[in-house]
Amino acid sequence: LLPKWQVTGAAQASGDGYSLDVVTVADPQGVLELRCEVKRFHAYPGVEWVAYLKNIGAADSGILADILPLDVLFPLDPAAPCQVHHARGALTQLDDFEPLATPLTFRQGGSRLELAARTGKSSTLHLPFFNLQMGSGGVIGAIGWSGGWAATFQRTREGIRVRAGMERTHLRLHPGEEIRTPRILLLFWQGGDATGEALVDERIRSQNMWRRLLLEHYAPRVNGGVLQPPFCDGVWGAQSEESHLAKIRWLADNKIPTECYWIDAGWYGERPVAEAADGLTSSWMREVGSWFPNAVAYPQGFAPISAAARDAGMGLLLWVEPERAFEGTQMAREHPDWLLGPVPSGNTNGMNYMVNLGNPAARQHVTELIASLIAASGATCYRQDFNDLRVPELFAMTDAPDRVGFTEIQHITGLYRFWDTLLARHPGLVIDNCAGGGQRIDLETLARSVALWRSDLQCWPFDPLSMQMQTQGLAPWVPLTAAVCDQPSTYAMRSALGPGLVTHWATQALDGHAELPAAAICRLMDEVKGLRKYSYGDFYPLLSFSLAEDTWAAWQYDRPDLGEGMVVAFRRQAAPFALWEARLQGLEPAAIYDLCAHDSGLYWRSTGRELMVDGFGVSIEAKPGSALFTYKRIT
């Protein structure tokens, strides 16, 4: 089809660290126009593109089926090794974000790997990222789409055929209509050490090049710098104004270094608020769609709470779920023409609707609604959830046979416009991308938001092991997230080391009547706060990913720009051995480093080569227990 079309290209103005070209392919019949925006990075061997298809004619187009923005053959000898590195998504299980490696061999015609979203949310089953390792090099890829996507990797005699796009497209465009494809990002890497001495795993090095690219060109900016996910203290929203004010006072009086007071679900609607209710009850789900503060619990709205948080030096996070409306709520009553569905709720008796952000009037209403809530509440962080909807079924119910995929395209692009408008109207706003706990992590959402709640697994009894595994699984792909800590222990707090942190101290102290060691909590959080700068560097897993309780976990963050880094190690509760040899990565072999063991206070000096080749012993007597080391290059 395309070779017969007329191709024109025009270079656009370059941005900071990249060049942008626009390639236009015109249908000789004058019906369709394809516009492809191609971004080339100056300091990275990477390229990103997104394509737009528009009907420029006076009649409907023919059927556009199986649109693939990525369809490429990477040449590879049939005898060369190959595997696809990828990761699980967030299914609320202990193995959420587990790293996986699938070999592709050339036997019996070649092996094949298929990955797909299936649920209508981009990271429920799999993260939409991959590292295709071919021999001594490879390519890292991302599928930038916050809905249903699919990717296939096929080994052939000629090489590896990679195809990716939406799960299904079979549609015609009416005159004037335009759609876009998922955004594709590829980053190429090549292994091999010219000195013949490989001190760093080349694939891990490629993942760190990927982290640097995302931090430099995709991570949200706040006040001119890369977003710093806040330290939040989470509180359930179905509580009274007095209860919130008491919790803020407790945090302030105990000098807990909380940066953001978090009001979660349950603050809205017409039903009486039951203060004993929590996330495991269903009442909060039944009021979604009536977006006004509950008059009994919040008689003055959010103003007194946001003022108290501000006086205590904290921002305010507000939870909303604007894409869902439960039957009988305000949105369902007043704007039924904006809704998709209904479908039965999986969590409570009744029916759910989906608010169609592809409808311009609906999107405008939701934008004004959320912007007004942010302004009225003084929220510094807007938390968007997305629960309990059979998304593919809703889109299938809406699409005609010759419009399959159109509703999803309009809704997802509407979501991006909605978020972009909020960010433009509220400079400095942080968007927390929840979506049922880590289920919408992709290139497009990473450019606009941060996942402060990585998995709903942590809604149940807190387990430091799950925090360790989420960090080790996510960090190679996603630099900025937040972990949870609900136990005032060194082991638990270090298990949550990262750019951001979520705690629930005020709720435990005042609602749970727990005797919390406030001074110890402050020391633990101050330690984490002092270390989170390292999360913006390179990440090296020093032990294999394991869900077992009878082993260790360990990793290293390295900041080459600072000449500093940290190592954290965990001896889990059933690990029989108390000693481990740590061999670091990514250091300068000839440089000299000063190291500090934070638990013993021991200092010593080593060369980078000694630390990477010989390593050093790590002893942890407690089960469970942890060890923390920092280092600094002095030459």
Side-chain angles (χ1 to χ4, degrees):
L1 180 70
L2 294 182
K4 298 179 181 179
W5 292 20
Q6 183 178 359
V7 179
T8 57
Q12 304 297 304
S14 296
D16 186 11
Y18 68 88
S19 299
L20 181 66
D21 297 327
V22 176
V23 178
T24 302
V25 187
D27 171 12
Q29 304 300 319
V31 177
L32 284 176
E33 180 182 83
L34 185 148
R35 185 179 82 258
C36 191
E37 298 178 355
V38 184
K39 181 181 291 186
R40 293 176 289 113
F41 301 98
H42 299 163
Y44 297 90
V47 60
E48 174 226 274
W49 68 91
V50 60
Y52 298 83
L53 279 160
K54 184 175 183 179
N55 185 339
I56 58 174
D60 287 353
S61 72
I63 294 293
L64 302 169
D66 302 323
I67 303 169
L68 296 174
L70 176 63
D71 186 359
V72 63
L73 176 70
F74 294 107
L76 186 65
D77 187 274
C82 174
Q83 56 184 335
V84 182
H85 299 272
H86 53 112
R88 299 190 194 277
L91 271 175
T92 315
Q93 296 178 357
L94 187 58
D95 63 358
D96 284 352
F97 310 118
E98 178 183 7
L100 303 171
T102 303
L104 293 178
T105 59
F106 184 66
R107 294 194 186 100
Q108 298 177 348
S111 56
R112 177 183 176 92
L113 171 65
E114 297 183 6
L115 303 175
R118 303 298 185 208
T119 64
K121 293 191 278 189
S122 55
S123 58
T124 306
L125 299 182
H126 313 278
L127 290 180
F129 311 111
F130 62 86
N131 191 339
L132 177 61
Q133 185 174 14
M134 300 173 288
S136 61
V139 57
I140 300 178
I143 304 159
W145 190 247
S146 306
W149 58 270
T152 61
F153 304 82
Q154 177 71 55
R155 185 78 188 251
T156 70
R157 181 176 297 279
E158 291 75 26
I160 313 298
R161 186 70 174 266
V162 182
R163 290 174 165 147
M166 288 178 57
E167 285 186 275
R168 192 174 177 212
T169 46
H170 184 91
L171 55 92
R172 65 176 80 250
L173 294 178
H174 301 321
E177 286 184 337
E178 182 178 71
I179 59 172
R180 60 154 281 188
T181 67
R183 189 179 303 273
I184 301 296
L185 171 61
L186 298 181
L187 181 69
F188 297 86
W189 60 276
Q190 182 62 47
D193 191 327
T195 67
E197 182 180 30
L199 297 178
V200 177
D201 183 307
E202 293 295 344
R203 184 184 63 82
I204 300 302
R205 190 195 297 274
S206 76
Q207 295 287 165
N208 283 322
M209 182 166 60
W210 173 260
R211 284 174 54 90
R212 295 181 190 186
L213 174 63
L214 292 187
L215 285 169
E216 185 173 339
H217 289 282
Y218 291 90
R221 258 55 181 174
V222 175
N223 299 324
V226 178
L227 167 69
Q228 174 67 75
F231 279 21
C232 304
D233 200 71
V235 175
W236 192 241
Q239 300 191 15
S240 65
E241 175 185 301
E242 292 78 10
S243 177
H244 286 298
L245 294 176
K247 290 179 173 62
I248 293 171
R249 281 195 302 272
W250 185 91
L251 293 167
D253 291 346
N254 287 282
K255 298 181 173 55
I256 307 298
T258 299
E259 297 167 338
C260 189
Y261 184 77
W262 174 316
I263 299 179
D264 211 271
W267 55 265
Y268 42 85
E270 300 159 315
R271 297 170 183 260
V273 168
E275 289 203 43
D278 58 26
L280 301 181
T281 62
S282 62
S283 58
W284 68 273
M285 303 198 75
R286 300 175 65 88
E287 289 297 297
V288 167
S290 292
W291 297 117
F292 45 84
N294 185 275
V296 176
Y298 297 84
Q300 303 177 77
F302 296 107
I305 300 168
S306 61
R310 189 166 53 251
D311 291 344
M314 291 182 278
L316 181 72
L317 177 149
L318 186 64
W319 179 101
V320 192
E321 191 181 358
E323 294 169 90
R324 182 169 68 89
F326 196 79
E327 62 176 345
T329 58
Q330 184 183 47
M331 182 70 76
R333 294 193 310 265
E334 296 181 1
H335 302 287
D337 54 318
W338 294 347
L339 307 180
L340 308 180
V343 291
S345 167
N347 295 311
T348 185
N349 292 327
M351 305 295 282
N352 273 320
Y353 294 86
M354 185 173 178
V355 181
N356 182 11
L357 296 181
N359 181 312
R363 184 173 65 254
Q364 179 67 23
H365 176 85
V366 169
T367 302
E368 297 302 327
L369 170 71
I370 302 304
S372 297
L373 279 171
I374 292 170
S377 66
T380 56
C381 184
Y382 161 62
R383 172 172 167 81
Q384 181 161 326
D385 214 340
F386 190 41
N387 294 294
D388 197 29
L389 283 171
R390 303 176 184 178
V391 179
E393 182 178 332
L394 285 163
F395 289 148
M397 291 167 57
T398 307
D399 287 336
D402 63 349
R403 300 278 276 179
V404 175
F406 187 80
T407 305
E408 177 180 342
I409 293 170
Q410 297 300 96
H411 180 84
I412 297 300
T413 54
L415 171 70
Y416 301 152
R417 294 189 187 104
F418 164 48
W419 279 8
D420 290 342
T421 303
L422 288 184
L423 293 169
R425 287 196 190 181
H426 299 279
L429 179 70
V430 175
I431 296 180
D432 169 25
N433 167 31
C434 179
Q439 296 187 53
R440 252 190 188 166
I441 297 175
D442 58 76
L443 191 64
E444 291 283 4
T445 58
L446 290 181
R448 298 168 170 88
S449 66
V450 61
L452 298 183
W453 195 258
R454 303 187 298 199
S455 168
D456 270 357
L457 178 69
Q458 54 224 32
C459 293
W460 284 267
F462 168 75
D463 182 2
L465 190 152
S466 68
M467 292 300 100
Q468 298 167 20
M469 294 301 87
Q470 289 176 20
T471 295
Q472 188 169 350
L474 264 177
W477 303 106
V478 184
L480 302 183
T481 63
V484 174
C485 182
D486 273 2
Q487 295 174 5
S489 72
T490 302
Y491 179 79
M493 187 64 72
R494 289 177 178 173
S495 296
L497 271 171
L501 181 69
V502 181
T503 60
H504 302 94
W505 305 130
T507 296
Q508 291 182 52
L510 299 185
D511 296 347
H513 307 290
E515 293 291 334
L516 295 179
I521 288 173
C522 291
R523 288 195 299 271
L524 292 170
M525 292 182 66
D526 284 341
E527 179 184 72
V528 173
K529 185 174 289 188
L531 297 168
R532 64 179 174 178
K533 64 180 180 180
Y534 299 127
S535 303
Y536 290 77
D538 296 339
F539 177 82
Y540 296 96
L542 300 181
L543 288 169
S544 298
F545 183 97
S546 174
L547 302 170
E549 296 181 351
D550 62 352
T551 189
W552 285 44
W555 49 83
Q556 170 193 358
Y557 280 106
D558 182 68
R559 288 287 300 268
D561 57 325
L562 302 178
E564 299 181 38
M566 59 161 280
V567 176
V568 63
F570 304 96
R571 181 187 182 186
R572 294 178 178 162
Q573 52 266 42
F577 45 93
L579 184 66
W580 166 66
E581 291 292 326
R583 290 179 175 83
L584 306 192
Q585 295 197 49
L587 306 183
E588 296 180 19
I592 297 175
Y593 293 84
D594 276 346
L595 289 92
C596 173
H598 281 236
D599 299 300
S600 66
L602 176 67
Y603 287 83
W604 76 98
R605 183 168 289 178
S606 295
T607 67
R609 183 179 304 281
E610 290 169 340
L611 292 171
M612 291 189 289
V613 176
D614 301 327
F616 59 89
V618 179
S619 176
I620 302 177
E621 295 298 327
K623 294 192 303 182
S626 66
L628 175 68
F629 304 85
T630 55
Y631 58 85
K632 184 173 184 178
R633 186 181 63 230
I634 62 171
T635 66

